[in-house]
């Protein structure tokens, strides 16, 4: 064990997230694990999520697809069928039983898909018909017609309703990482000429229509959104990410949503950490709700970000994946387990999933 701090660390201080009383600020970032066979959540997720639950801790579930056209990877969970909603319930119950607060990240991949994963082998849908470079993995998309867009907005609305029905405390709209919403937001992907393309206002319209529909369905106090204006994941690039990020948070202020969760500019297009001169501070200052930052944080960096008021909460991805007792390890200044990249997306229900060791005996209960 390293230094055992005497003062409570900023990360381990309480925070009031709307109606939720968080006991600390170490959030489980959404992490796709591809262990939901045939898009149905599985009982092994009960142990996985409850291992990462603390009393008063916030967990964001892995990206969960909103419809049959929303799928881009095998075995990611869904939330559009009754069977999926029922399958989520015991997982959510287990998190609640340990006092956790659990949000569902709802997702449409857009063009990051393949015909083999689409209903009737159809082309994936997007803001554009421009394909991703690797057209073996990702089939060329079909540009949504203007009058088809309300149906996709509605799919998100129903997914949010289903998440509440499954017992989740709220939803996080996945507007990051080059997936469908980001394909509308970013000007190097969105080449539309209708009211969903061109100006910033037009490119943000789809995202904001989804926000509005979900706010009206489940209430603004249960809605968060994740954005990554700076990240160039899945070839989704904007020529002016700062303007895009600021426009979005200012528009979000009008809906009074609970939180905005933003990925740091230092996370590059392959998801690794690199140097960046840009910062989330302008977005943090402009947004009136809770601000969650993610991407490349360790204990010290997270403590500094909270102490300096650069974020209210910090979401941890890879280190929380590999350290189910991450808040406790931070409390003790204990060493961390290394994550095993090779088992991030394998389908084993135990290996690389629920077998990362706890620091203390009986932690796994
Ligand atoms: C295995 C894995 C799965 C991920 N799945 C998702 C996801 O479903 N939704 C999402 O928004 N981000 C996803 N991410 C990104 C993480 O939430 C996080 O932003 C990223 O790992 C950077 O944070 P870190 O440095 O703390 O890991 C994933 C990352 C990894 C490593």
């Amino acid at each position: 064990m390293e230094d055992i701090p005497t003062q409570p660390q900023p990360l381990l201080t309480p925070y009031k997230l709307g109606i939720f009383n968080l006991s600390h600020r170490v959030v489980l970032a959404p992490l796709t694990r591809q262990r939901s066979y045939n898009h149905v959540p599985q009982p092994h997720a009960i142990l996985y999520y409850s291992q990462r639950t603390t009393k008063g801790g916030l967990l964001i579930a892995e990206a969960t697809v909103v419809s049959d056209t929303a799928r881009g990877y095998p075995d990611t969970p869904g939330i559009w069928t009754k069977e999926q909603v029922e399958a989520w319930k015991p997982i959510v119950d287990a998190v609640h039983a340990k006092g956790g607060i659990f949000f569902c990240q709802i997702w449409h991949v857009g063009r990051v898909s393949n015909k083999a994963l689409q209903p009737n082998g159809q082309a994936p849908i997007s803001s554009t018909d421009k394909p991703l470079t690797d057209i073996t993995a990702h089939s060329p998309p079909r540009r949504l017609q203007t009058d088809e867009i309300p149906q996709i907005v509605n799919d998100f609305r129903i997914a949010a309703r289903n998440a509440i029905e499954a017992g989740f405390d709220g939803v996080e709209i996945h507007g990051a990482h080059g997936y469908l919403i980001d394909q509308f937001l970013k000007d190097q992907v969105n080449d539309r000429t209708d009211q969903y393309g061109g100006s910033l206002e037009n490119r943000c319209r789809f995202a904001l229509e989804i926000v509005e529909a979900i706010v009206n369905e489940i209430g603004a106090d249960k809605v968060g959104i994740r954005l990554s204006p700076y990240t160039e994941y899945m070839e989704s690039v904007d020529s002016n990410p700062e303007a895009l990020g600021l426009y979005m948070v200012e528009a979000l202020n009008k809906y009074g949503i609970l939180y905005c969760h933003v990925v740091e500019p230092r996370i590059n297009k392959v998801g690794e950490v690199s140097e960046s001169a840009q910062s989330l501070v302008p977005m943090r200052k402009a947004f009136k709700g809770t601000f969650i930052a993610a991407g490349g944080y360790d204990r010290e960096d997270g403590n500094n970000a909270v102490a300096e008021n650069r974020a209210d909460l910090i979401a941890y991805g890879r280190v929380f994946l590999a350290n189910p007792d991450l808040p406790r390890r931070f409390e003790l200044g204990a060493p961390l387990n290394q994550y095993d990249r090779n088992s991030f997306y394998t389908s084993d229900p135990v290996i690389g999933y629920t077998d990362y060791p706890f620091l203390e005996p009986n932690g796994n209960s």
Side-chain angles (χ1 to χ4, degrees):
M1 258 157 259
E2 296 161 11
D3 54 319
I4 297 182
T6 46
Q7 296 285 325
Q9 302 167 55
L11 275 175
L12 300 178
T13 56
Y15 179 77
K16 197 154 169 45
L17 174 67
I19 59 168
F20 308 106
N21 290 312
L22 304 188
S23 63
H24 62 81
R25 296 154 188 258
V26 181
V27 177
L28 176 68
L31 293 164
T32 291
R33 306 307 315 273
Q34 292 188 248
R35 285 153 164 93
S36 296
Y37 311 135
N38 204 17
H39 307 285
V40 179
Q42 297 294 309
H44 48 242
I46 295 173
L47 179 59
Y48 171 75
Y49 281 108
S50 63
Q51 283 180 334
R52 286 159 184 77
T53 303
T54 46
K55 191 171 176 354
L58 174 64
L59 295 83
I60 304 164
E62 63 208 271
T64 298
V65 289
V66 300
S67 68
D68 57 357
T69 67
R71 297 172 292 187
Y73 305 87
D75 299 334
T76 51
I79 193 139
W80 77 92
T81 70
K82 180 89 183 135
E83 183 189 12
Q84 291 161 342
V85 173
E86 292 304 315
W88 271 116
K89 285 182 181 173
I91 305 166
V92 180
D93 286 348
V95 170
H96 285 159
K98 287 181 78 177
I101 293 113
F102 202 12
F103 273 54
C104 184
Q105 190 188 49
I106 53 175
W107 186 35
H108 195 303
V109 299
R111 69 176 181 169
V112 188
S113 188
N114 187 288
K115 286 198 284 198
L117 289 162
Q118 292 295 314
N120 310 317
Q122 70 192 34
I125 56 171
S126 182
S127 63
T128 179
D129 52 18
K130 280 187 294 193
L132 284 155
T133 312
D134 180 358
I135 54 165
T136 321
H138 304 119
S139 308
R142 178 178 73 78
R143 182 194 309 272
L144 280 168
Q145 292 168 18
T146 310
D147 64 3
E148 293 177 293
I149 290 178
Q151 180 56 49
I152 312 298
V153 174
N154 198 48
D155 289 343
F156 272 92
R157 181 182 66 79
I158 291 169
R161 186 173 74 196
N162 287 345
I164 299 301
E165 154 79 21
F168 282 103
D169 298 291
V171 299
E172 174 174 292
I173 300 162
H174 194 342
H177 294 158
Y179 297 111
L180 183 63
I181 293 173
D182 207 32
Q183 290 158 30
F184 276 83
L185 294 175
K186 302 259 175 87
D187 66 2
Q188 304 301 296
V189 181
N190 183 337
D191 56 358
R192 304 180 70 86
T193 53
D194 63 2
Q195 68 266 39
Y196 293 94
S199 65
L200 255 182
E201 183 185 0
N202 282 356
R203 282 183 279 119
C204 294
R205 189 181 310 282
F206 177 59
L208 295 170
E209 286 181 356
I210 291 170
V211 170
E212 182 171 310
I214 294 178
V215 163
N216 290 338
E217 184 70 36
I218 67 170
D221 57 342
K222 299 185 192 69
V223 180
I225 189 168
R226 192 173 218 211
L227 300 172
S228 62
Y230 296 92
T231 305
E232 301 189 347
Y233 198 60
M234 293 297 170
E235 300 170 39
S236 195
V237 181
D238 197 81
S239 60
N240 191 346
E242 177 159 343
L244 173 61
L246 280 175
Y247 182 90
M248 272 303 290
V249 291
E250 274 156 16
L252 291 169
N253 283 338
K254 295 181 199 129
Y255 299 99
I257 62 168
L258 184 64
Y259 74 77
C260 185
H261 179 181
V262 190
V263 180
E264 287 282 348
R266 63 187 170 195
I267 297 296
N268 66 22
K269 63 179 132 198
V270 289
E272 297 297 335
V273 181
S274 59
E275 285 304 304
S276 173
Q278 293 161 311
S279 113
L280 300 183
V281 169
M283 286 179 76
R284 192 301 188 259
K285 285 193 172 145
F287 186 61
K288 296 204 178 98
T290 292
F291 197 79
I292 310 180
Y297 279 93
D298 61 13
R299 170 173 172 262
E300 185 187 0
D301 206 9
N303 275 320
N304 290 341
V306 174
E308 292 161 16
N309 200 25
R310 285 185 274 117
D312 299 303
L313 307 173
I314 306 293
Y316 289 88
R318 289 164 287 193
V319 296
F320 216 150
L321 184 157
N323 294 272
D325 51 357
L326 187 67
R328 179 71 175 145
R329 287 179 192 249
F330 281 175
E331 186 186 338
L332 298 172
L336 302 183
N337 301 324
Q338 294 303 303
Y339 52 81
D340 171 26
R341 187 181 299 279
N342 295 322
S343 55
F344 279 175
Y345 306 110
T346 48
S347 52
D348 196 279
V350 176
I351 299 164
Y353 190 55
T354 50
D355 63 350
Y356 283 105
F358 283 71
L359 195 61
E360 294 162 320
N362 306 321
N364 201 353
S365 58

